[in-house]
Amino acid sequence: MSDGAPLLEVRNLKKYYPLSQGLFKRKAGTVKAVDDVSFTIQPGETFGLVGESGCGKSTIAKSVIRAVEPTDGDVIFHLDRPRNLAKLNREELKVARRHIQLVFQDPFSSLNPRHRVRDIIGEPLKVNNVADGKELEDQVGHLMSSVGLRPEYQVRYPHAFSGGQRQRIGIARALAMHPKLIICDEPVSALDVSVQAQILNLLSDLQSEFGLTYLFVSHDLGVVQHISDRVAVMYVGRLVETGPTRKLFEAPQHPYTAALLSASPKPHPRFRRTQPVLTGEVPDPLSAPSGCHFHPRCPYRQQVCEEEFPPLEPVPDSPGQFVACHFASEIELEGVPAVTPR
C-alpha cells in the first residue's frame, strides 16, 4: 500500500433525489442518499464501505463511476494526471472508465444470458478496439484462467455455470482492460458462505498479482473485516467513522459502529454479549433527524446531539482513525477480537 498520493479522492460528494407529487409535480421533499461524504483510497488498498441497507453505500459506488450523476462534490482519479470524474465530458469519461471497472452484486442478472462467455468477457476489449479475432480469444482464455475457469468453457452460456462461477466470469470481465480501480458492489452477498470465501480469496490473489485497488461495498462485517485494509462506516448518507480495519474493529469510537459489531455473530461458543442490542429503525432519508442522525437510537445522546451534526475528526492517539461523535472521547465502547490477517 502506497503512502504517497491517493489513487482516488472523494470530496464532499452529494447525491440528492428530489421527490414530487400531484398533477403539477410539486416538490415534496429531497432524499439525501449521500450527504457530504469524503474519503481517499491509496493505490493497492482495499477500502471497505459498510452500513445497513439503504444507507447510501451503493449510491457512492455508482456516483464514483458516474453510473448516477452526483449532485455535488468532486471525484479525483489520479492516473497520469488528476482527473475530476464528476466534471469530465462524455469522451473524457469514456477514457477514464477504462481504468475503473465494476463487479456487480448479482451474478445471475449481471451476465447477458444470450451471449457466450467469450462475448461477455471480450466485449470491453472489442468496444475499446484492444483485440479481435484469435488475439481476442487468447486474451479471454487467459482472463478465464486468471479467475480459475477453464479456457475451453468460453463457448458456453451463463446458464451452464454455478453462481460462484458466474461471479468469476464477472470478475474476468472487470479485469479485461487492466483497470487500476475495481468497485466491488456487494460481490459475495448472493453466494453461499463457502463460495464467498473462495471469491474473497480470489480477489485478494488478483490484487497481489495485478496491483489492483478495491472499493469494497458490503453490509457484512465479517466479509469487510477479512478483506479490507481500511473501513468506513455509513449511516443515513454520511460517514460516522473511518479507520484501519484492526483499530476500528478492536476499538470502535462511534456508538453505531459498536452496535453493528455487537449485533454481528461471534464464532466462539463462550462469547456473551455485554452491550445492548441496537433498537429502533434506520430513519427515512427523506426526513432524517436533526443534528446527529443516530441520536434517536443512541444510548449516550445529549442535547447537543439533537442540534448539531458532529464533524468527522481524527481520534487522539489513534493515527488514521476518524469519528463523527460529540462524545467519542468520553465513552468507552466494546470491540471484537482481531481476525488473522489475510
Side-chain angles (χ1 to χ4, degrees), residues 91-139:
E91 289 303 315
E92 293 171 331
L93 183 62
K94 182 179 179 180
V95 173
R97 277 177 171 168
R98 296 177 184 177
H99 304 279
I100 306 176
Q101 295 296 318
L102 186 64
V103 176
F104 297 93
Q105 176 178 356
D106 187 357
F108 296 92
S109 62
S110 62
L111 305 179
N112 191 327
R114 299 183 179 182
H115 286 181
R116 297 180 189 271
V117 170
R118 67 185 176 198
D119 300 319
I120 293 172
I121 299 176
E123 185 175 11
L125 300 172
K126 293 183 67 175
V127 168
N128 291 282
N129 299 315
V130 174
D132 204 354
K134 183 64 168 60
E135 183 183 0
L136 177 65
E137 183 178 342
D138 291 341
Q139 290 200 31

Side-chain angles (χ1 to χ4, degrees), residues 212-250:
L212 300 172
T213 303
Y214 293 135
L215 171 56
F216 195 94
V217 175
S218 180
H219 65 274
D220 190 323
L221 289 169
V223 168
V224 169
Q225 185 181 19
H226 176 76
I227 198 170
S228 300
D229 298 300
R230 285 191 301 131
V231 178
V233 181
M234 286 196 71
Y235 188 75
V236 194
R238 293 197 177 195
L239 297 186
V240 295
E241 185 171 358
T242 67
T245 303
R246 181 180 290 271
K247 288 183 179 180
L248 189 140
F249 276 76
E250 291 184 342

Side-chain angles (χ1 to χ4, degrees), residues 10 12-13 33-40 47-51 55-57 60 215 230-243 254 256-257 292-293 309-313 322-325:
V10 176
N12 308 112
L13 183 66
V34 177
D35 191 15
D36 200 17
V37 168
S38 300
F39 59 86
T40 62
F47 185 81
L49 197 56
V50 68
C55 70
K57 307 184 300 297
I60 287 180
L215 171 56
R230 285 191 301 131
V231 178
V233 181
M234 286 196 71
Y235 188 75
V236 194
R238 293 197 177 195
L239 297 186
V240 295
E241 185 171 358
T242 67
H254 197 281
Y256 177 63
T257 306
C292 176
H293 296 336
F309 192 93
L312 196 66
E313 295 180 329
F322 296 78
V323 64
C325 178

Side-chain angles (χ1 to χ4, degrees), residues 26 56 93 107 109 121 156 191 195 199-200 222 224 229 238 247 251 280 286 294 335:
R26 294 188 179 90
L93 183 62
S109 62
I121 299 176
R156 297 184 178 184
L191 305 176
V195 180
I199 297 299
L200 292 175
V224 169
D229 298 300
R238 293 197 177 195
K247 288 183 179 180
L286 182 60
F294 185 63

